[in-house]
Amino acid sequence: MKQAYGSTPDGAAVDLYTLTNATGIRAQITNYGAIVTSLLVPDREGRLSDVVLGFDRLEGYLGKHPYFGVICGRYANRIAKGCFTLNGVEYTLARNDGENHLHGGSRGFDKMVWTAAEVAEQDGAGLRLAYSSPAGEEGYPGNLEVAVTYTLTDRNELRIDYLATTDADTVLNLTHHGYFNLADGGAGDVLKHEVMIDAARFLPVDTGWIPTGELRRVEGTLMDFNQPTAIGARIERDDEQLAHGKGYDHTWMLNSEPGRLSLAARVYEPSSGRVMEVLTTEPGIQFFTGNILDGTVTGKGGAVYRRRHGLCLECQHFPDSPNKPQFPTTVLRPGQRYTQTTVYRFSAE
Ligand code: FUC
């Protein structure tokens, strides 16, 4: 179902799409920024409520906000000092996060109007969003064609299938930047959420959140989430990496084989019983605990989003890969197809 959602300052009309699956869970998605604006899933009593942070109206998303529910591109997370070299040519990008480049620059995919079409997928209701990014946009080379299909499956999953092609060598790293709070949608904090991440290593960062290049073992560190652990259990400990991240804001290198859809993370929220499993084909997951939320953003239903009222599990390649040859490559060449599948699967216990 499609309804008008308003228009951008330059006059482009924007729509809001509602997907409902056979069990009655519901997602709302706008073609502005490919943003998931709401996601209603049941608790252990079967009561539906919204588990993502965001705004009631388009105006909220048009203003400054920390990437609520968007698709980030061309490059999710950071590129150090906003430069990289590809085939001997140096490319300069916006430094929109201190001295670094973040989430595609000043006007990334999160601020674009995408073309949308409702599609009937085999296993649920889908919305296909497409965007053509011209060569040079935000400093990146290559004309890039991107398609993102959200499917709300009858197994209570929000599946995201990505596809991209280019006509010249470029770099690409796409992710979905949903902020989740399985208890109350963001009115309170996420510290009681228990998190498991299937990863033996994580990427330590410097004070600007740029990976040092080390792939450090999680064993014996506060970054070990192999056993489900409440977010609040260790987050305030005195630790160099928690200080640099201002909490958890790091990439974990997943144990699974990249390219094969596998369980990456699981979140359990004890008061509601809600469970969210995250499956992906990507090599990494950015676990971010909403450390920068500071109460200045008022979102849906008047909820004030304070520090750690939402968590993100962003499936992606590693930050700053264009400058880190030892990381899995993010280079996309003509004739290649960039693909990614990520699934957020909901249940309750
Ligand atoms: C996540 C984090 C970043 C940033 C952004 C809004 O991707 O990794 O540090 O705060 O969200």
Side-chain angles (χ1 to χ4, degrees):
M1 192 191 81
K2 166 177 164 179
Q3 67 199 85
Y5 198 45
S7 55
T8 64
D10 43 22
V14 169
D15 295 312
L16 185 69
Y17 294 83
T18 303
L19 307 181
T20 310
N21 79 353
T23 75
I25 79 163
R26 196 192 83 182
Q28 286 187 305
I29 301 164
T30 170
N31 62 324
Y32 178 77
I35 297 171
V36 177
T37 64
S38 72
L39 183 57
L40 268 58
V41 302
D43 67 6
R44 63 164 74 88
E45 314 295 343
R47 284 180 301 234
L48 289 180
S49 69
D50 194 356
V51 294
V52 297
L53 281 65
F55 302 102
D56 288 318
R57 294 151 57 87
L58 176 65
E59 286 65 37
Y61 295 105
L62 295 175
K64 202 176 146 47
H65 72 97
Y67 302 88
F68 288 137
V70 306
I71 294 293
C72 295
R74 294 191 187 191
Y75 202 97
N77 210 282
R78 292 177 177 81
I79 296 178
K81 303 208 164 56
C83 7
F84 69 94
T85 302
L86 181 61
N87 303 331
V89 180
E90 186 171 291
Y91 294 93
T92 307
L93 312 168
R95 294 179 171 192
N96 58 326
D97 184 65
E99 61 172 12
N100 300 317
H101 178 79
L102 177 68
H103 294 329
S106 326
R107 192 150 182 247
F109 293 177
D110 58 294
K111 296 179 185 68
M112 297 303 179
V113 177
W114 298 55
T115 305
E118 291 172 274
V119 285
E121 294 286 313
Q122 249 177 16
D123 53 350
L127 181 70
R128 184 178 189 276
L129 296 154
Y131 178 65
S132 303
S133 174
E137 186 173 59
E138 286 292 334
Y140 292 95
N143 291 297
L144 188 79
E145 297 294 332
V146 185
V148 171
T149 304
Y150 287 106
T151 305
L152 195 63
T153 77
D154 294 336
R155 296 178 301 279
N156 287 3
E157 301 163 327
L158 180 67
R159 186 176 74 227
I160 315 172
D161 292 300
Y162 302 72
L163 176 64
T165 54
T166 182
D167 67 356
D169 290 8
T170 191
V171 297
L172 185 67
N173 184 31
L174 301 173
T175 199
H176 173 63
H177 205 294
Y179 285 70
F180 297 92
N181 183 320
L182 304 181
D184 58 21
D189 67 55
V190 291
L191 298 177
K192 292 198 176 72
H193 287 56
E194 295 167 15
V195 174
M196 185 284 292
I197 304 175
D198 185 19
R201 294 176 189 272
F202 80 104
L203 279 60
V205 293
D206 68 16
T207 53
W209 290 277
I210 297 295
T212 61
E214 184 189 347
L215 302 172
R216 189 179 292 173
R217 293 198 71 87
V218 297
E219 210 177 344
T221 75
L222 304 179
M223 302 290 168
D224 189 345
F225 281 92
N226 283 288
Q227 295 305 317
T229 305
I231 291 174
R234 304 178 297 201
I235 201 167
E236 295 300 346
R237 296 258 195 101
D238 184 15
D239 175 79
E240 183 208 61
Q241 282 305 311
L242 286 175
H244 287 185
K246 304 196 190 309
Y248 297 107
D249 189 358
H250 297 78
T251 301
W252 273 254
M253 180 182 167
L254 296 167
N255 288 334
S256 54
E257 182 192 327
R260 216 171 112 188
L261 187 68
S262 314
L263 185 72
R266 186 177 195 273
V267 184
Y268 170 67
E269 197 290 304
S271 72
S272 64
R274 288 193 182 91
V275 173
M276 179 175 79
E277 291 173 305
V278 186
L279 295 87
T280 191
T281 55
E282 289 294 280
I285 195 165
Q286 185 79 13
F287 174 41
F288 171 54
T289 47
N291 312 307
I292 58 167
L293 299 173
D294 60 2
T296 54
V297 175
T298 299
K300 286 184 264 186
V304 178
Y305 298 142
R306 298 185 202 283
R307 193 160 198 236
R308 301 186 176 139
H309 279 205
L311 68 92
C312 301
L313 285 161
E314 306 153 57
C315 299
Q316 56 190 52
H317 269 254
F318 302 171
D320 202 31
S321 300
N323 294 307
K324 299 271 187 324
Q326 69 270 41
F327 288 174
T329 185
T330 52
V331 174
L332 182 70
R333 303 186 196 280
Q336 296 179 333
R337 283 156 60 93
Y338 168 99
T339 58
Q340 177 194 154
T341 297
T342 291
V343 174
Y344 295 92
R345 180 188 288 157
F346 296 92
S347 57
E349 58 186 35

